[in-house]
């Protein structure tokens, strides 16, 4: 996940990600979003990474991204839907996951699992509550919020994967 304040140079981080990872470009209306998005798209294609653009299908299409990531607050009402896009959403509860499933989205990011520095993170669910919610989830769920090398194992078997900002920026420990 990118964030204009916490990841001021997302291209530098994305250029170091391993093949097969994904990037959610959250630009929040930045004036340079087309230039930054195009740069990220080039890097992602070169490195075999998936690129989703947050809540901006026009930008996603313009830069050749793989899809769109929707904040939970944008899951109401009419959305642009492209059959060629991967679509994910953030969710903060079972009803949020149910809404993403009802809209036939491909996956959801359940947040916040652990205490997080994200301005949008609410109260942390904790690993036990996360497991309870994901056990009955009707779509693949990725963990988000405070995920790091020390706590990822607590949610790994109960999620499709995880997403992070600080853990990636600080250099997730290499595994051999």
């Amino acid at each position: 996940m990118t964030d204009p304040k916490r990841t001021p140079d997302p291209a530098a981080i994305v250029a170091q990600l391993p093949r097969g990872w994904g990037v959610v470009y959250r630009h929040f209306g930045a004036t340079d979003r087309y230039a930054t998005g195009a740069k990220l798209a080039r890097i992602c294609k070169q490195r075999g990474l998936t690129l989703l653009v947050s809540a901006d299908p026009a930008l996603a299409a313009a830069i050749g991204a793989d899809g769109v990531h929707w904040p939970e607050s944008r899951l109401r009402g009419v959305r642009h839907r492209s059959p060629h896009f991967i679509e994910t959403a953030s969710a903060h509860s079972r009803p949020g996951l149910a809404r993403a499933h009802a809209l036939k989205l491909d996956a959801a990011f359940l947040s916040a699992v652990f205490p997080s520095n994200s301005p949008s993170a609410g109260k942390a669910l904790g690993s036990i509550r996360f497991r309870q919610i994901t056990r009955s989830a009707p779509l693949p769920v990725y963990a988000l919020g405070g995920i790091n090398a020390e706590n990822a194992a607590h949610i790994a078997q109960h999620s499709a994967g995880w997403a992070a900002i600080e853990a990636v920026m600080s250099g997730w420990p290499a595994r051999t």
Side-chain angles (χ1 to χ4, degrees):
M1 295 270 178
T2 70
D3 180 284
K5 290 184 177 146
R6 294 185 295 155
T7 56
D9 185 5
I13 296 164
V14 171
Q16 297 177 43
L17 295 177
R19 179 173 291 283
W21 281 35
V23 176
V24 176
Y25 175 44
R26 300 185 311 162
H27 58 79
F28 301 113
T31 57
D32 65 344
R33 66 188 175 275
Y34 280 89
T36 300
K39 186 175 185 179
L40 291 176
R42 281 191 303 278
I43 295 168
C44 286
K45 285 191 187 339
Q46 291 168 353
R47 298 190 55 77
L49 308 174
T50 300
L51 176 63
L52 305 180
V53 174
S54 183
D56 196 336
L59 175 59
I63 65 173
D66 300 294
V68 179
H69 172 77
W70 297 99
E72 183 175 10
S73 63
R74 298 283 303 270
L75 292 181
R76 290 180 168 84
V78 178
R79 296 182 349 275
H80 170 83
R81 178 92 175 147
S82 170
H84 307 291
F85 277 168
I86 296 167
E87 288 192 86
T88 64
S90 61
H92 305 285
S93 63
R94 277 184 197 190
L97 291 175
R99 195 171 306 118
H101 175 66
L103 292 169
K104 298 182 173 61
L105 300 187
D106 298 296
F109 292 81
L110 183 59
S111 171
V113 179
F114 300 108
S116 170
N117 292 323
S118 175
S120 63
K123 182 179 175 196
L125 296 166
S127 58
I128 293 171
R129 183 80 177 125
F130 177 83
R131 286 193 299 258
Q132 290 171 338
I133 293 172
T134 58
R135 210 174 271 146
S136 61
L139 74 169
V141 178
Y142 290 81
L144 174 63
I147 309 297
N148 59 43
E150 289 76 41
N151 62 27
H154 296 289
I155 50 85
Q157 69 183 19
H158 304 285
S159 66
W162 53 265
I165 295 176
E166 276 96 0
V168 173
M169 289 174 34
S170 64
W172 191 270
R175 303 279 188 236
T176 55

